Amino acid sequence: DIQMTQSPSTLSASVGDRVTITCRASQSISSWLAWYQQKPEKAPKLLIYEASSLENGVPSRFSGSGSGTEFTLTISSLQPDDFATYYCQQYNSYPLTFGGGTKVEI
Amino acid sequence: EVQLVESGGGLVQPGGSLRLSCAASGFTFSIYWMSWVRQAPGKGLEWVANIKQDGSEKYYVDSVKGRFTISRDNAKNSLYLQMNSLRAEDTAVYYCARKGTAGRYSDYWGQGTQVTVSS
């Protein structure tokens, strides 16, 4: 199974900050990586797929990069609505696996 | 508008069974792979199972193989998860999700249904 490791697990930031979250895969997954945002008691929401493709309707302050085993999610200017938990997911091979999550808090 | 609405969750004793349903609307259900993903209390996301458009291919996480069965009824625009031999560690919110058009990620998710396994 491919293990996905996110860092940090918690991130304290302020409105307007540039935020970067890292996701590492235990083996190469090419660009088969997605990022999701989840708010408390809500379903996850797709932000990025194929490592860097922005899902329709997602603000352009979100961006993704990387390939192989190292990936990043960047929020260029943190907004109040962005305080949430973020998960990466590899979909290179079964079983599909998620990172442990990164909680972005004030 | 794409909508996925799960139902069938509840409290069940260890060793018991439960069948989850997901009603899909707002898109052509029969042309999409579908998934179940779960989230234990206070924990992260865990993929559970995927099913191909016609039901001919199914994939499961190892921890549920032999106990859970994913299925679908395209005529009813519905996805199912039959869960047998339930364990305490199966306690979670179960989400139904649609596979994206460009890969095995999930582009739409339901609101989830709570499954609690406890005596």
Side-chain angles (χ1 to χ4, degrees):
Chain A
D1 298 2
I2 299 174
Q3 309 302 317
M4 305 301 293
T5 304
Q6 280 184 242
S7 59
S9 55
T10 306
L11 188 159
S12 296
S14 301
V15 173
D17 284 354
R18 181 181 181 87
V19 166
T20 298
I21 299 169
T22 298
C23 180
R24 290 186 174 87
S26 60
Q27 63 190 74
S28 177
I29 58 170
S30 185
S31 295
W32 304 124
L33 184 102
W35 289 98
Y36 302 90
Q37 176 193 68
Q38 187 179 33
K39 296 182 180 179
E41 309 305 318
K42 297 292 187 181
K45 173 188 174 184
L46 176 68
L47 299 175
I48 302 278
Y49 62 93
E50 207 168 332
S52 60
S53 295
L54 195 67
E55 173 68 350
N56 289 340
V58 174
S60 59
R61 63 180 179 273
F62 291 92
S63 63
S65 64
S67 66
T69 62
E70 295 265 341
F71 301 87
T72 58
L73 173 70
T74 300
I75 309 172
S76 60
S77 178
L78 198 66
Q79 299 301 300
D81 191 49
D82 302 337
F83 290 95
T85 300
Y86 295 84
Y87 294 93
C88 62
Q89 180 203 23
Q90 69 81 18
Y91 54 95
N92 178 76
S93 61
Y94 288 112
L96 310 182
T97 47
F98 290 88
T102 295
K103 184 176 182 180
V104 177
E105 58 184 23
I106 300 173
Chain B
E1 178 194 4
V2 172
Q3 284 201 326
L4 298 168
V5 180
E6 302 93 337
S7 61
L11 174 63
V12 61
Q13 292 188 338
S17 298
L18 214 52
R19 188 196 196 204
L20 305 184
S21 299
C22 171
S25 61
F27 66 101
T28 305
F29 179 75
S30 61
I31 67 172
Y32 285 89
W33 282 73
M34 296 295 295
S35 302
W36 287 99
V37 178
R38 67 184 179 183
Q39 187 168 34
K43 302 297 184 182
L45 301 168
E46 180 182 38
W47 169 79
V48 173
N50 271 16
I51 186 168
K52 194 177 178 179
Q53 293 95 326
D54 62 358
S56 62
E57 292 183 35
K58 303 176 184 181
Y59 299 89
Y60 300 91
V61 67
D62 280 351
S63 60
V64 308
K65 282 180 183 175
R67 300 189 299 124
F68 290 12
T69 302
I70 189 172
S71 63
R72 64 192 296 160
D73 185 336
N74 288 339
K76 296 182 178 180
N77 290 338
S78 293
L79 176 72
Y80 305 102
L81 186 67
Q82 178 66 44
M83 304 186 295
N84 298 330
S85 303
L86 282 161
R87 306 166 180 167
E89 54 265 36
D90 296 318
T91 294
V93 174
Y94 284 74
Y95 294 101
C96 161
R98 189 183 84 168
K99 189 186 85 65
T101 53
R104 289 174 243 169
Y105 56 89
S106 294
D107 61 356
Y108 284 93
W109 298 63
Q111 84 289 348
T113 188
Q114 175 70 49
V115 172
T116 302
V117 184
S118 174
S119 55

XYZ file of all heavy atoms in Angstrom, chain A residues 1 32 34 36 38 41-46 48-50 55 87 89 91-100, chain B residues 33 35 37 39 43-47 50 59-62 95 99 102-112:
470
model
N 0.831 -1.185 0.000
C 0.000 0.000 0.000
C 0.879 1.254 0.000
O 1.962 1.264 0.595
C -0.912 0.040 1.226
C -1.886 -1.117 1.295
O -1.829 -2.003 0.391
O -2.690 -1.154 2.241
N -0.836 11.600 -9.782
C -2.173 11.142 -9.387
C -2.454 11.473 -7.930
O -2.519 10.599 -7.059
C -2.317 9.647 -9.665
C -2.039 9.258 -11.084
C -1.130 8.336 -11.509
C -2.634 9.808 -12.279
N -1.133 8.260 -12.886
C -2.042 9.153 -13.379
C -3.621 10.772 -12.530
C -2.393 9.432 -14.712
C -3.969 11.045 -13.850
C -3.364 10.384 -14.915
N -4.816 14.194 -5.303
C -5.895 15.162 -5.115
C -5.777 15.795 -3.731
O -5.215 15.203 -2.808
C -7.254 14.480 -5.257
N -8.238 17.843 -0.793
C -9.591 18.122 -0.345
C -9.557 19.058 0.869
O -8.617 19.030 1.662
C -10.316 16.839 0.082
C -10.410 15.783 -0.987
C -9.419 14.826 -1.125
C -11.492 15.741 -1.853
C -9.493 13.851 -2.100
C -11.581 14.761 -2.838
C -10.580 13.829 -2.953
O -10.664 12.859 -3.933
N -11.924 20.020 4.245
C -13.062 19.574 5.045
C -13.254 20.494 6.247
O -12.312 20.748 6.997
C -12.891 18.136 5.529
C -14.144 17.589 6.217
C -13.997 16.160 6.690
O -12.925 15.728 7.087
N -15.094 15.400 6.634
N -17.972 18.715 10.633
C -19.305 18.149 10.398
C -19.774 18.277 8.943
O -20.969 18.149 8.666
C -20.343 18.820 11.314
C -19.943 18.850 12.778
C -19.603 17.489 13.347
O -20.327 16.522 13.037
O -18.595 17.375 14.087
N -18.847 18.513 8.037
C -19.193 18.632 6.619
C -18.435 17.595 5.799
O -17.414 17.054 6.240
C -18.841 20.031 6.094
C -19.616 21.155 6.759
C -21.085 21.105 6.394
C -21.815 22.329 6.929
N -23.267 22.297 6.605
N -18.951 17.341 4.600
C -18.264 16.431 3.691
C -17.025 17.106 3.119
O -16.964 18.332 3.006
C -19.197 16.025 2.566
N -16.040 16.322 2.736
C -14.873 16.900 2.050
C -15.290 17.547 0.735
O -16.279 17.166 0.122
C -13.978 15.679 1.802
C -14.412 14.672 2.807
C -15.885 14.883 2.967
N -14.475 18.523 0.337
C -14.694 19.232 -0.924
C -13.420 19.140 -1.753
O -12.321 19.415 -1.253
C -15.019 20.702 -0.640
C -15.098 21.583 -1.875
C -15.238 23.038 -1.484
C -15.179 23.952 -2.712
N -15.226 25.392 -2.333
N -13.550 18.745 -3.006
C -12.385 18.629 -3.894
C -11.850 20.012 -4.241
O -12.605 20.890 -4.659
C -12.781 17.882 -5.164
C -11.705 17.758 -6.235
C -10.562 16.851 -5.761
C -12.299 17.220 -7.541
N -8.193 20.257 -5.705
C -7.164 20.060 -6.727
C -7.158 18.585 -7.128
O -7.294 17.712 -6.262
C -5.762 20.410 -6.171
C -5.690 21.835 -5.660
C -4.667 20.118 -7.215
C -5.459 22.888 -6.701
N -6.986 18.286 -8.398
C -6.769 16.920 -8.851
C -5.590 16.900 -9.815
O -5.157 17.955 -10.299
C -8.038 16.343 -9.501
C -8.503 17.080 -10.735
C -8.106 16.671 -12.003
C -9.311 18.197 -10.634
C -8.512 17.355 -13.134
C -9.725 18.894 -11.756
C -9.332 18.464 -13.003
O -9.723 19.147 -14.118
N -5.076 15.725 -10.046
C -3.884 15.549 -10.894
C -2.776 16.512 -10.465
O -2.097 17.110 -11.299
C -4.219 15.706 -12.374
C -3.276 14.946 -13.292
C -3.781 14.866 -14.727
O -5.011 14.891 -14.933
O -2.938 14.777 -15.621
N -10.049 22.436 -9.412
C -11.427 22.044 -9.663
C -12.264 23.287 -9.978
O -12.007 24.389 -9.456
C -11.995 21.318 -8.445
C -13.476 20.978 -8.481
C -13.854 19.914 -9.508
O -13.003 19.552 -10.343
O -15.013 19.458 -9.470
N -6.747 17.439 3.264
C -6.261 16.071 3.063
C -5.741 15.901 1.643
O -6.358 16.389 0.684
C -7.395 15.052 3.251
C -7.941 14.955 4.646
C -9.045 15.712 5.038
C -7.363 14.092 5.584
C -9.560 15.619 6.322
C -7.875 13.991 6.876
C -8.971 14.760 7.229
O -9.475 14.653 8.511
N -4.785 12.863 -1.211
C -5.164 11.489 -1.534
C -4.418 11.046 -2.784
O -4.425 11.765 -3.794
C -6.657 11.370 -1.793
C -7.128 9.961 -2.141
C -8.436 9.926 -2.915
O -8.823 10.892 -3.569
N -9.154 8.822 -2.841
N -4.299 8.488 -5.926
C -5.166 7.585 -6.683
C -4.404 6.912 -7.821
O -4.958 6.584 -8.862
C -6.434 8.297 -7.167
C -6.245 9.568 -7.957
C -6.219 9.546 -9.344
C -6.134 10.809 -7.321
C -6.081 10.717 -10.081
C -5.992 11.977 -8.046
C -5.974 11.923 -9.421
O -5.825 13.091 -10.153
N -3.108 6.696 -7.557
C -2.277 5.973 -8.526
C -2.640 4.496 -8.545
O -2.619 3.858 -9.617
C -0.810 6.145 -8.137
C 0.132 5.394 -9.055
O 0.394 5.800 -10.177
N 0.647 4.259 -8.567
N -2.919 3.932 -7.366
C -3.198 2.507 -7.286
C -4.064 2.199 -6.075
O -4.101 2.962 -5.105
C -1.884 1.723 -7.206
O -1.159 2.082 -6.053
N -4.726 1.052 -6.144
C -5.531 0.587 -5.011
C -4.615 -0.096 -3.984
O -3.637 -0.742 -4.349
C -6.583 -0.415 -5.490
C -7.712 0.215 -6.271
C -7.865 -0.032 -7.624
C -8.633 1.060 -5.647
C -8.897 0.537 -8.351
C -9.668 1.632 -6.366
C -9.800 1.367 -7.710
O -10.830 1.938 -8.425
N -4.943 0.040 -2.690
C -6.042 0.828 -2.140
C -5.761 2.328 -2.201
O -4.625 2.755 -1.982
C -6.112 0.359 -0.689
C -4.703 -0.023 -0.369
C -4.142 -0.606 -1.631
N -6.778 3.104 -2.534
C -6.636 4.548 -2.510
C -6.362 4.968 -1.061
O -6.989 4.458 -0.135
C -7.911 5.210 -3.028
C -8.456 4.678 -4.357
C -9.706 5.454 -4.770
C -7.400 4.737 -5.443
N -5.433 5.879 -0.874
C -5.057 6.251 0.491
C -4.980 7.770 0.658
O -4.605 8.487 -0.275
C -3.707 5.617 0.881
O -2.752 5.808 -0.181
C -3.862 4.124 1.130
N -5.306 8.203 1.866
C -5.304 9.616 2.224
C -4.156 9.907 3.188
O -3.723 9.029 3.958
C -6.603 9.993 2.937
C -7.826 9.997 2.062
C -8.560 8.833 1.882
C -8.266 11.162 1.452
C -9.707 8.827 1.090
C -9.404 11.178 0.660
C -10.123 10.001 0.478
N -3.714 11.150 3.168
C -2.820 11.627 4.204
C -3.600 11.814 5.499
O -4.833 11.769 5.510
N -2.873 12.037 6.585
C -3.501 12.147 7.895
C -4.231 13.457 8.143
O -4.939 13.592 9.141
N -18.055 5.748 -12.135
C -17.626 4.942 -11.011
C -18.115 5.651 -9.748
O -18.225 6.874 -9.708
C -16.104 4.880 -10.949
C -15.432 3.966 -11.902
C -15.271 4.141 -13.247
C -14.740 2.754 -11.569
N -14.541 3.114 -13.771
C -14.196 2.241 -12.767
C -14.504 2.060 -10.383
C -13.450 1.059 -12.813
C -13.763 0.891 -10.426
C -13.244 0.394 -11.631
N -17.956 5.530 -5.153
C -17.111 5.133 -4.026
C -17.847 5.262 -2.702
O -18.814 6.009 -2.578
C -15.883 6.057 -3.946
O -15.123 6.045 -5.112
N -16.432 6.159 1.216
C -15.297 6.622 2.018
C -15.821 6.816 3.430
O -16.942 7.294 3.609
C -14.716 7.942 1.470
C -13.571 8.437 2.359
C -14.237 7.766 0.034
N -15.062 7.934 7.761
C -14.269 8.757 8.674
C -14.671 8.416 10.096
O -15.782 8.724 10.535
C -14.500 10.240 8.386
C -13.609 11.171 9.161
C -13.671 12.595 8.630
O -14.709 13.070 8.173
N -12.552 13.293 8.673
N -11.017 11.244 13.405
C -9.922 10.702 12.581
C -9.990 11.219 11.146
O -10.869 11.993 10.790
C -9.987 9.166 12.594
C -9.909 8.550 13.973
C -8.587 8.839 14.660
C -8.488 8.130 15.999
N -7.207 8.445 16.700
N -9.061 10.751 10.340
C -8.997 11.163 8.948
C -9.892 10.312 8.048
O -10.678 9.484 8.509
N -9.755 10.550 6.762
C -10.571 9.871 5.763
C -9.960 8.519 5.394
O -8.733 8.390 5.299
C -10.678 10.744 4.505
C -11.301 12.126 4.720
C -11.087 12.995 3.492
C -12.778 12.000 5.049
N -10.828 7.543 5.174
C -10.375 6.223 4.738
C -11.259 5.756 3.579
O -12.479 5.618 3.727
C -10.438 5.200 5.880
C -9.968 3.813 5.446
C -10.065 2.762 6.540
O -11.049 2.779 7.317
O -9.171 1.901 6.602
N -10.639 5.498 2.441
C -11.364 4.934 1.308
C -11.793 3.510 1.655
O -11.030 2.738 2.233
C -10.475 4.938 0.071
C -11.032 4.150 -1.064
C -12.010 4.531 -1.937
C -10.647 2.833 -1.439
N -12.254 3.526 -2.832
C -11.440 2.472 -2.549
C -9.723 1.909 -0.963
C -11.322 1.233 -3.184
C -9.602 0.681 -1.588
C -10.401 0.350 -2.686
N -14.745 0.934 -4.218
C -15.120 1.532 -5.507
C -15.877 0.524 -6.335
O -15.626 -0.687 -6.240
C -13.873 1.940 -6.306
C -13.403 3.343 -6.010
O -13.798 3.942 -5.015
N -12.533 3.856 -6.860
N -13.517 -2.834 -5.926
C -12.272 -2.812 -5.170
C -12.574 -2.432 -3.729
O -13.466 -1.616 -3.476
C -11.292 -1.798 -5.777
C -10.917 -2.115 -7.203
C -11.670 -1.614 -8.263
C -9.824 -2.914 -7.497
C -11.346 -1.913 -9.576
C -9.486 -3.216 -8.813
C -10.264 -2.713 -9.844
O -9.941 -3.021 -11.126
N -11.824 -3.033 -2.804
C -12.064 -2.812 -1.378
C -10.748 -2.578 -0.636
O -9.702 -3.138 -1.011
C -12.743 -4.027 -0.748
C -14.079 -4.394 -1.333
C -14.168 -5.306 -2.381
C -15.253 -3.845 -0.829
C -15.394 -5.664 -2.919
C -16.490 -4.194 -1.359
C -16.549 -5.098 -2.402
O -17.773 -5.448 -2.928
N -10.829 -1.839 0.456
C -9.698 -1.774 1.374
C -9.624 -3.118 2.101
O -10.664 -3.774 2.316
C -9.868 -0.590 2.364
C -11.027 -0.809 3.312
C -8.581 -0.331 3.119
N -8.430 -3.557 2.435
C -8.250 -4.892 3.011
C -9.100 -5.123 4.263
O -9.613 -6.221 4.482
C -6.776 -5.125 3.355
C -5.946 -5.508 2.148
O -6.536 -5.753 1.070
O -4.710 -5.552 2.273
N -19.416 8.130 3.751
C -19.745 9.040 2.661
C -19.829 8.279 1.341
O -18.976 7.435 1.039
C -18.666 10.110 2.497
C -18.519 11.080 3.647
C -17.500 10.939 4.572
C -19.394 12.156 3.778
C -17.340 11.845 5.608
C -19.240 13.073 4.822
C -18.220 12.897 5.727
O -18.068 13.802 6.750
N -16.793 9.365 -8.544
C -15.442 9.452 -9.079
C -15.356 10.553 -10.126
O -16.257 10.720 -10.940
C -15.018 8.122 -9.699
C -13.540 8.087 -10.074
C -13.196 6.822 -10.825
C -13.475 6.948 -12.317
N -12.646 7.943 -12.996
N -11.485 12.616 -14.501
C -10.084 12.528 -14.926
C -9.243 11.630 -14.035
O -8.022 11.668 -14.107
C -9.475 13.928 -14.973
N -9.867 10.826 -13.199
C -9.086 9.946 -12.336
C -9.914 9.418 -11.188
O -11.112 9.707 -11.083
N -9.251 8.648 -10.303
C -9.977 7.986 -9.213
C -10.124 8.844 -7.973
O -10.285 8.339 -6.875
C -9.268 6.679 -8.855
C -9.419 5.608 -9.918
C -8.582 4.379 -9.577
N -7.573 4.141 -10.569
C -6.576 3.288 -10.451
N -6.421 2.620 -9.338
N -5.711 3.139 -11.414
N -10.106 10.172 -8.148
C -10.437 11.036 -7.016
C -11.949 11.168 -6.974
O -12.655 10.658 -7.850
C -9.760 12.405 -7.197
C -10.120 13.082 -8.493
C -11.223 13.918 -8.588
C -9.368 12.867 -9.649
C -11.577 14.511 -9.776
C -9.711 13.453 -10.850
C -10.820 14.278 -10.909
O -11.159 14.862 -12.096
N -12.470 11.861 -5.947
C -13.920 12.026 -5.816
C -14.284 13.493 -5.954
O -13.789 14.321 -5.195
C -14.386 11.504 -4.461
O -14.200 10.102 -4.374
N -15.152 13.795 -6.931
C -15.463 15.202 -7.171
C -16.744 15.663 -6.473
O -16.914 16.876 -6.275
C -15.494 15.514 -8.669
C -16.544 14.723 -9.443
O -17.229 13.864 -8.847
O -16.668 14.981 -10.659
N -17.639 14.768 -6.102
C -18.834 15.133 -5.346
C -19.037 14.123 -4.227
O -18.829 12.924 -4.422
C -20.080 15.180 -6.239
C -20.145 16.400 -7.111
C -19.638 16.369 -8.405
C -20.698 17.590 -6.641
C -19.689 17.493 -9.213
C -20.741 18.719 -7.440
C -20.231 18.660 -8.724
O -20.265 19.775 -9.525
N -19.463 14.633 -3.069
C -19.635 13.816 -1.888
C -21.028 14.044 -1.311
O -21.564 15.164 -1.378
C -18.614 14.199 -0.812
C -17.183 14.008 -1.195
C -16.500 14.633 -2.205
C -16.237 13.148 -0.558
N -15.197 14.210 -2.238
C -15.007 13.307 -1.231
C -16.302 12.266 0.526
C -13.841 12.602 -0.868
C -15.158 11.585 0.894
C -13.944 11.740 0.199
N -21.597 13.000 -0.712
C -22.812 13.165 0.046
C -22.514 13.752 1.414
O -21.367 14.027 1.748
N -23.565 13.929 2.219
C -23.402 14.538 3.538
C -22.984 13.518 4.597
O -22.590 13.895 5.693
C -24.705 15.236 3.970
C -25.738 14.340 4.625
C -26.400 13.360 3.676
O -26.277 13.452 2.460
N -27.136 12.403 4.240
N -23.061 12.239 4.245
C -22.623 11.190 5.158
C -23.738 10.617 6.014
O -24.749 11.269 6.274
